Amino acid sequence: MASAKTQLDKDSLAVLRAAVDRLDAGFAALPQYEPAALDARALETILLEAAQRMQDNFPYFHPLYAGQMLKPPHPIARLAYAMAMYINPNNHALDGGRASSALEKEAVAEIAAMFGWGEFLGHLTSGGTFANLEALWVAGQLAPGKKVLASKQAHYTHSRISSVLRLEFEAVACDDLGRMDLAALEAKLKQGSVGGGVATVVATLGTTATGSVDPLPGLLDLKERYNFRLHADAAYGGYFTLAGNLGPEARAAFDRMGECDSIVIDPHKHGLQPYGCGCVLFRDASVGRFYKHDSPYTYFSSGDLHLGEITLECSRAGAAAVALWATQKLLPLEKGGEFAQRLEASRAAALALHAKLQTEPSFLPASAPELDIVTWAVRGKTASEASARARKIFEEAAKRNLHLALAELPRRFFGLGGQGTVTALRSVLMKPEHKDWVEPIAKILAEAVEKAG
Ligand SMILES: *Cc1c(COP(=O)(O)O)cnc(C)c1O
């Protein structure tokens, strides 16, 4: 039977059926029981209504969705997650998820190995926010009352987390490429050594707005001299360490990530996972002591490590670990492998789009992207006219099914004089398919420019 042309994969649902059968077989020795009866018609009515409501979304899976950081999970992740949901394990304690805890430990060890870490402490979290919270919490436990520094382009979560943890936070200036300015940092470190002191510097490897990579080699030199804790927020960019087509500065930064004290990376950003999957890693496993607690009712089934003994979150989705493990089995985290090639395709797409933008007289692209995020301002007599034109082009592109994003960025990123910011266009080319869609994207953009006037 020839299947009609559709956008979403449904063929793999047969594989899910086979996997649930296999799971079921493991429990065959139990006495038969009668699950509560299902009213299939009621289920169907409501599920179809939910599907109808879900049509009100941008088509995140499609290459013409080239806006925010949204990437469809790999089918294997979707299927493994759905299969695991029949058990719904909780990776807090081995009592709640024996198999999925083992899979989490294996999958996290594979992530740590990307940074050369064999011995470490780490686990999955609900996302990058919580992973960064744990990293800064540990930093605060080691140096109570001292400051946290991150760049002005670091994710806003760092200043908010610092306020939750009651740690003082300061933002450090960036260069024209959106990377932390080492001279500005050093000035603060000098001041800091007089005042309360700086406990922690957050290096962002792949900023959320522009994919800029902080200069880690220079930060490590400063760490030698000023002795602070260095945390790498690579929630977005971490996996790019596997890509073979980075520029020399980004390459040099990723190559030294293993020298940081802690690392955050989000499998639900570039790791092909559904939301609910972040990861935090600590180079010194002894920081596990800070997590110690005495739960009167949790850890009885085994003397082995229960992940809840080294996490701040209590209940965590075991299904997320199963999905990650399965994805890494299919697409191992290795240089030159298929997973790495997908990231290389994204970066190639970003470079190609950047080159195209330079040929459009209305556009002022930022410097060449370091990862797969492209930003560009629109020409205008004033900053407000340039911002208004960008918004208009954004809308006209969306009418033609091309979904971009807008970002408020420093004018100097685009070679525009003056202080302050401008509303610019932004495109995150996270899907490998984007490589083949740069032409169509550029064509729609040209139409949108024409229409926006
Ligand atoms: C996305 C992101 C975060 C926040 O992570 P969530 O998974 O959205 O909670 C933190 N830092 C960076 C650099 C990010 O890109």
Side-chain angles (χ1 to χ4, degrees), residues 69 126-130 132 154-155 157-158 204-208 233-237 264 266 268-269 275 277-278:
M69 272 174 189
S126 55
T129 302
F130 218 96
N132 277 302
H155 198 284
T157 197
H158 293 287
T204 306
L205 279 91
T207 61
T208 314
D233 179 2
Y236 184 70
V264 161
D266 259 359
H268 72 196
K269 290 255 178 76
Y275 286 113
C277 197

Side-chain angles (χ1 to χ4, degrees), residues 229-243:
R229 196 173 165 79
L230 190 53
H231 167 59
D233 179 2
Y236 184 70
Y239 287 104
F240 276 95
T241 192
L242 299 176

Side-chain angles (χ1 to χ4, degrees), residues 91-304:
N91 275 12
H92 178 214
L94 292 170
D95 313 47
R98 219 164 36 227
S100 51
S101 292
L103 298 182
E104 174 167 343
K105 288 172 193 172
E106 290 176 30
V108 169
E110 288 166 12
I111 292 178
M114 279 199 297
F115 307 109
W117 290 359
E119 269 180 58
F120 66 96
L121 189 85
H123 57 268
L124 301 181
T125 62
S126 55
T129 302
F130 218 96
N132 277 302
L133 174 90
E134 292 199 22
L136 293 187
W137 173 71
V138 163
Q141 297 289 307
L142 287 164
K146 292 195 178 183
K147 274 181 202 165
V148 175
L149 302 183
S151 92
K152 287 200 164 132
Q153 288 293 318
H155 198 284
Y156 67 83
T157 197
H158 293 287
S159 77
R160 233 163 44 170
I161 288 170
S162 299
S163 118
V164 169
L165 297 172
R166 298 185 176 272
L167 297 169
E168 204 182 322
F169 176 86
E170 263 185 61
V172 181
C174 285
D175 66 13
D176 288 352
L177 275 72
R179 308 176 299 194
M180 187 184 280
D181 180 329
L182 291 173
L185 173 63
E186 186 163 14
K188 286 198 188 287
L189 291 168
K190 280 189 179 140
Q191 277 171 17
S193 59
V194 181
V198 170
T200 310
V201 174
V202 177
T204 306
L205 279 91
T207 61
T208 314
T210 62
S212 302
V213 180
D214 281 350
L216 201 55
L219 290 169
L220 286 162
D221 288 347
L222 289 173
K223 177 178 166 66
E224 283 275 295
R225 305 215 320 267
Y226 294 92
N227 190 34
F228 48 81
R229 196 173 165 79
L230 190 53
H231 167 59
D233 179 2
Y236 184 70
Y239 287 104
F240 276 95
T241 192
L242 299 176
N245 59 352
L246 300 179
E249 289 179 323
R251 183 72 264 160
F254 281 107
D255 282 347
R256 295 190 65 186
M257 273 182 76
E259 293 170 61
C260 294
D261 296 293
S262 51
I263 295 174
V264 161
I265 178 167
D266 259 359
H268 72 196
K269 290 255 178 76
H270 253 306
L272 299 166
Q273 298 309 297
Y275 286 113
C277 197
C279 179
V280 63
L281 305 167
F282 297 96
R283 185 156 54 115
D284 174 7
S286 79
V287 300
R289 67 188 182 277
F290 295 121
Y291 288 92
K292 281 245 170 321
H293 64 97
D294 294 309
S295 166
Y297 42 73
T298 319
Y299 309 126
F300 291 102
S301 66
S302 165
D304 292 347

